[in-house]
Amino acid sequence: LAKTTQPISMDSYEGQEVNITCSHNNIATNDYITWYQQFPSQGPRFIIQGYKTKVTNEVASLFIPADRKSSTLSLPRVSLSDTAVYYCLVGDHSNYQLIWGAGTKLIIKP
Amino acid sequence: DAGVTQSPTHLIKTRGQHVTLRCSPISGHKSVSWYQQVLGQGPQFIFQYYEKEERGRGNFPDRFSARQFPNYSSELNVNALLLGDSALYLCASSLDATVLGYTFGSGTRLTVV
């Protein structure tokens, strides 16, 4: 299972675009990249998943370069309610578990 | 549609006691996974059950056990509780055995005193 490395914390301001980068140098051919968001005392919530290039949904975009050794979660025009911990995970459909790092604590200021 | 439901939401136990945590997956989901999350850390995998069989086990002592029932709900049991077992216990369900489509419950906050 590929390990991931993310910044421990980030600050930004309301209305800004926030980009969180994750390194996964040992990503395997069949691995997907998945991002979760977690608020205090709640379970993680799925944000977005991708394999290569760019994926966009109603809440975020995920950019994956050709070598797939990193990925960037992009949150457009953040608000105070986006303050949370964001986790990057890699794994394929045959894995029965995922390895979670400590995530990135994102704090949005007014 | 109800999401993943866990009970109880909070629990206080004494060292040495036993605890049972319960999880009901999303309707139609056949896989349930359990995670332990200590404050300030990411979730750590404990078990995955799929179609009532254990599919994977994390690096936890034998004091931890689980099972999945015919209706796909699940129980996590922890015996001989230690102070270090204090954590948020998360249940996640998915449609099949893949872990890439998890939906998590809100967890059970266990405090061991």
Side-chain angles (χ1 to χ4, degrees), chain A residues 25-110:
Chain A
N25 290 319
N26 296 322
I27 190 168
T29 303
N30 294 329
D31 283 346
Y32 285 75
I33 300 154
T34 309
W35 286 79
Y36 284 86
Q37 174 194 55
Q38 187 177 27
F39 298 113
S41 297
Q42 293 188 26
R45 184 176 72 104
F46 173 89
I47 302 175
I48 198 166
Q49 183 180 94
Y51 183 79
K52 62 180 179 181
T53 61
K54 176 184 174 183
V55 180
T56 298
N57 62 23
E58 62 276 7
V59 298
S61 294
L62 178 60
F63 298 92
I64 305 169
D67 67 4
R68 304 202 325 125
K69 292 184 182 299
S70 67
S71 58
T72 299
L73 174 72
S74 181
L75 304 172
R77 298 183 57 79
V78 293
S79 64
L80 296 177
S81 63
D82 291 314
T83 294
V85 178
Y86 291 82
Y87 294 95
C88 161
L89 300 101
V90 298
D92 71 24
H93 290 276
S94 68
N95 297 145
Y96 58 78
Q97 63 170 297
L98 292 172
I99 294 181
W100 300 66
T104 297
K105 185 172 185 178
L106 175 64
I107 298 173
I108 305 301
K109 303 174 183 177

